[in-house]
Amino acid sequence: MNNILSGFSNVLIIGCGGAGLRAAIEVKMSGLNVKVLGKRLKSDAHTSLAAGGINAALGNLDHNDSWKQHFIDTYIEGYGIGDPSHIEIMVKEAPDFVKEVDNWGANFEKLPNGKLDQRFFGAHKYRRTCYSGDYSGQSILNALLKKSSLLGIPIDDEQYVTDLLVKNNVCFGAVSFNIKNGQKCINLADSVVLCTGGHTRIWKINSSRKYENNGDGLYLGLKAGCSLIDMEMVQFHPTGMVLPEEIAGTLVTEAVRGEGGRLLNINGERFMKKYDKKRMELSTRDRVALANYTEILEGRCTANGGVFLDISHRDKEFIMRKLPRIYNQFLEYQNLDISQKPMEVAPTAHYSMGGIKVDADNHSACVEGLFAAGEVAGGLHGANRLGGNSLSEILVFGSRAGLAAVNYSRNSSKSLSCELVIKKCLNSIDEIMHSGKNEIEPMERDLQSLMWLNCGVVKDEQKLKDAIKSILKIKNKSQSLVINIENGNYRDLISAYNLKASIISAEATLLSSLNRKESRGSHQRNDYKLIRKKENVNYIVRLKNNELEISKQSTKDVPKEFKNYKFILESKNELKGKLLE
């Protein structure tokens, strides 16, 4: 690892999923030099797992749909703590971005009149989710990669970023190493855009894959001086696979329920009528997840600890056309034909609503020259994310962050660099490789189990306090890790950085969860079962003197267009929007 490469770009993008690619496209089309770094094969970025669709209030099927209704659905189902400015920007701009990416080759399903088809998704008043079967994320990713290739955007998807380069609260690049040969690289830039995803891999049962969503972008941001917002808000998707054990938690898309899938307990009861009689399976993700969790906890589950999701009442041709990936997924892993038999599902850690605190308009962080977009950024979703909004988010805010980075780069008086900062970041890679005594994998498993048991679908004060104590022990052990890089294998080094990122992300999540003394959306506590008006705030976490500190801020007012709408907090632990003039 003695050879050190260096390079310069006007804008450096960290992350080669949908948000990163859309940001890079914006930079390149603006005429500036851009480079994209990723640590996973660009064609297999996490965006590819977003199956069900992308939201845009086009009104192609339900003509009464509008950006205002999309705003209401998003704000209400975020339980009133999502940033209204974020939401307004996304819902207004999503239609143009959806049409754009379809023109670039996403190939969404079309109606006979040539307009985009739209399906129901949970908690949407109207059909507004555009889709490509049940592989919408992959189709969007392919379209963005095709556009990036046409523009000649350089993408290096073999780089693990270890540190952002920051001096006097100004970001001027990042340090990384090649995951194949370990070569260090100094990536200098006028501005940097973080698009690194979330942190749900730190739960034992999750919908992420190995080496992704360990909170590495959150860790980079914290070390650089950024704040995190809403870290207690982690979405547990209602339907993850139960078997086989090695892939437990793998996502079963909401599109199954959107196309008529029914949830049943072991008694054959369609139990959602007890939890949301009106919307049933198309209720909010937090409510369906809690319903599934409750049925399982109270013993009305299968022998494998799941509930049934049944789509077998639809004909096979329909299933093969609308849900081809899910059909093949169960056939491959369980030899189960879902057109004949129901699936077994259970909640799975799926999405980080919290993330780096950014400005709604340009997605700038509190560090100059640093921007963030996609799942790594917080503020949009509040306490619960609507299905289909994440793909809208990566396009709208990926573009905005890219354009903001362009404007910042153009207005920079001169390129900043600091040899001392660079040397310190390079040396930290050498320091982490010093021979230690603690194996990484057992610590990863301990952390995942700890988060699942103590900070899962339902939490309480004692479990959270116990988890914080345990996390600190794991943190201390992580100072001395066994890292073997013989024979050119740098997986141990990657795992070491992932572990450190996971620990700090877990600590931030636990701290925020402990401080929010109520149940709201995805954050459910046994000891505080109702929404509390005094908790109508956002919790903010920062790293100061190597310790996390927490504060809170008041939520923002809704736009003037909604001043005559009354939003009502009800004691039944739900937030409803009634259009009361």
Side-chain angles (χ1 to χ4, degrees):
M1 292 184 71
N2 292 325
N3 268 344
I4 300 175
L5 293 177
S6 63
F8 172 81
S9 52
N10 296 123
V11 181
L12 178 69
I13 312 289
I14 302 173
C16 57
L21 293 175
R22 189 59 190 81
I25 290 168
E26 198 66 40
V27 176
K28 188 69 174 181
M29 291 195 303
S30 297
L32 292 193
N33 177 273
V34 63
K35 184 177 182 180
V36 181
L37 303 181
K39 60 188 175 73
R40 192 179 191 93
L41 190 65
K42 60 188 178 184
S43 59
D44 192 38
H46 188 71
T47 304
S48 65
L49 299 188
I54 180 170
N55 296 332
L58 298 168
N60 291 344
L61 289 170
D62 299 314
H63 304 309
N64 288 331
D65 200 10
S66 65
W67 73 262
K68 288 186 177 181
Q69 187 59 55
H70 191 184
F71 177 96
I72 290 168
D73 291 348
T74 301
Y75 181 79
I76 295 301
E77 302 311 339
Y79 289 75
I81 66 167
D83 181 353
S85 298
H86 268 89
I87 300 169
E88 183 176 4
I89 290 168
M90 186 195 72
V91 299
K92 280 183 173 179
E93 297 184 3
D96 287 339
F97 280 96
V98 169
K99 292 174 186 175
E100 176 186 70
V101 80
D102 185 59
N103 289 333
W104 289 351
N107 194 29
F108 296 133
E109 191 79 14
K110 306 296 192 300
L111 295 166
N113 63 7
K115 292 184 177 182
L116 299 180
D117 193 9
Q118 297 185 280
R119 62 171 33 142
F120 274 119
F121 247 38
H124 292 272
K125 184 172 182 178
Y126 298 116
R127 290 170 287 184
R128 67 168 66 100
T129 306
C130 305
Y131 64 96
S132 300
D134 59 353
Y135 49 90
S136 305
Q138 186 68 66
S139 69
I140 290 171
L141 183 64
N142 292 344
L144 294 173
L145 285 169
K146 180 182 176 183
K147 184 68 174 178
S148 299
S149 178
L150 288 172
L151 292 171
I153 294 172
I155 302 172
D156 187 346
D157 55 7
E158 295 182 347
Q159 294 290 323
Y160 192 107
V161 176
T162 60
D163 280 286
L164 296 175
L165 296 171
V166 178
K167 182 185 180 183
N168 298 331
N169 201 45
V170 178
C171 185
F172 61 94
V175 165
S176 63
F177 67 86
N178 186 290
I179 61 175
K180 295 291 180 67
N181 60 32
Q183 187 171 48
K184 298 174 188 174
C185 187
I186 303 164
N187 307 278
L188 299 176
D190 290 326
S191 58
V192 176
V193 185
L194 276 176
C195 304
T196 51
H199 71 304
T200 51
R201 180 72 186 173
I202 70 174
W203 278 266
K204 180 181 179 180
I205 299 174
N206 64 82
S207 61
S208 298
R209 300 164 298 184
K210 199 171 179 66
Y211 303 118
E212 67 180 12
N213 286 336
N214 294 282
D216 44 315
L218 304 175
Y219 185 38
L220 289 172
L222 279 172
K223 288 191 292 181
C226 296
S227 298
L228 305 183
I229 186 171
D230 297 336
M231 284 299 291
E232 73 277 19
M233 298 304 178
V234 176
Q235 185 170 83
F236 289 82
H237 197 286
T239 54
M241 292 182 74
V242 175
L243 295 172
E245 187 175 348
E246 59 269 22
I247 63 157
T250 298
L251 189 66
V252 180
T253 173
E254 189 169 325
V256 177
R257 288 178 283 126
E259 299 295 351
R262 299 166 181 167
L263 287 166
L264 308 167
N265 60 24
I266 193 64
N267 302 320
E269 177 191 13
R270 196 173 172 189
F271 57 82
M272 277 307 300
K273 63 185 178 184
K274 297 186 296 186
Y275 303 94
D276 191 338
K277 190 174 183 179
K278 182 179 179 181
R279 295 181 292 190
M280 297 290 283
E281 286 83 6
L282 290 179
S283 184
T284 57
R285 285 184 177 178
D286 62 297
R287 182 164 297 186
V288 181
L290 186 59
N292 288 358
Y293 175 84
T294 302
E295 294 296 307
I296 293 166
L297 187 69
E298 294 180 357
R300 295 181 294 278
C301 57
T302 68
N304 298 312
V307 294
F308 291 120
L309 175 60
D310 191 8
I311 192 74
S312 64
H313 53 281
R314 306 303 299 255
D315 64 68
K316 188 170 184 176
E317 184 277 331
F318 176 89
I319 293 171
M320 292 294 289
R321 180 164 55 87
K322 297 283 190 176
L323 305 164
R325 177 185 279 187
I326 291 298
Y327 181 87
N328 291 323
Q329 185 172 302
F330 276 87
L331 207 59
E332 177 183 353
Y333 289 112
Q334 296 183 8
N335 196 28
L336 178 74
D337 184 345
I338 66 171
S339 70
Q340 301 295 319
K341 294 181 180 179
M343 301 159 263
E344 285 184 73
V345 296
T348 178
H350 177 57
Y351 190 88
S352 310
M353 269 86 71
I356 293 173
K357 188 174 182 291
V358 293
D359 176 81
D361 186 58
N362 61 19
H363 267 229
S364 59
C366 60
V367 177
E368 286 187 41
L370 181 62
F371 305 83
E375 193 173 352
V376 74
L380 171 66
H381 305 291
N384 181 50
R385 178 176 68 80
L386 282 183
N389 271 357
S390 62
L391 289 177
S392 306
E393 175 188 19
I394 63 173
L395 297 183
V396 172
F397 292 112
S399 171
R400 277 183 168 255
L403 184 58
V406 166
N407 292 334
Y408 181 88
S409 298
R410 282 180 172 156
N411 293 325
S412 294
S413 56
K414 60 180 180 178
S415 297
L416 177 69
S417 183
C418 177
E419 291 298 324
L420 285 176
V421 172
I422 293 171
K423 185 177 180 181
K424 182 180 178 182
C425 292
L426 290 171
N427 287 343
S428 71
I429 300 176
D430 297 327
E431 290 168 5
I432 201 173
M433 287 195 298
H434 287 167
S435 181
K437 61 182 180 179
N438 297 311
E439 296 284 348
I440 297 171
E441 272 202 35
M443 295 170 68
E444 284 179 335
R445 290 195 297 269
D446 288 348
L447 177 63
Q448 288 179 316
S449 295
L450 182 72
M451 291 301 288
W452 183 255
L453 293 172
N454 292 53
C455 193
V457 179
V458 179
K459 318 158 193 174
D460 65 50
E461 183 169 341
Q462 191 57 53
K463 284 184 177 181
L464 291 169
K465 285 183 174 178
D466 290 346
I468 289 172
K469 290 179 183 177
S470 298
I471 285 288
L472 292 177
K473 292 178 182 177
I474 295 173
K475 192 176 187 179
N476 289 332
K477 288 177 66 178
S478 72
Q479 303 306 310
S480 177
L481 298 173
V482 175
I483 298 177
N484 183 358
I485 56 171
E486 292 178 4
N487 303 318
N489 186 343
Y490 289 87
R491 282 298 174 191
D492 276 1
L493 184 58
I494 294 168
S495 295
Y497 273 103
N498 282 344
L499 177 62
K500 289 180 178 295
S502 297
I503 290 169
I504 200 78
S505 299
E507 193 178 353
T509 302
L510 290 164
L511 188 60
S512 295
S513 298
L514 182 62
N515 276 270
R516 184 173 287 280
K517 293 178 169 58
E518 65 166 352
S519 288
R520 183 188 297 252
S522 64
H523 174 75
Q524 294 292 311
R525 288 188 52 161
N526 261 336
D527 46 353
Y528 295 96
K529 294 187 176 182
L530 302 178
I531 288 176
R532 305 173 76 194
K533 190 175 181 180
K534 64 181 288 187
E535 293 284 9
N536 197 36
V537 297
N538 300 106
Y539 282 92
I540 312 296
V541 175
R542 291 199 69 175
L543 189 62
K544 188 174 182 180
N545 299 324
N546 214 31
E547 297 287 336
L548 291 180
E549 63 176 25
I550 191 162
S551 60
K552 57 187 176 181
Q553 67 177 30
S554 298
T555 55
K556 297 179 181 178
D557 290 336
V558 296
K560 59 183 180 181
E561 290 94 334
F562 298 92
K563 290 299 183 183
N564 291 329
Y565 296 133
K566 186 178 179 182
F567 296 100
I568 305 171
L569 274 170
E570 295 194 344
S571 61
K572 291 182 179 179
N573 200 20
E574 66 177 332
L575 190 66
K576 289 185 176 181
K578 301 297 185 184
L579 308 190
L580 302 177
E581 293 295 339

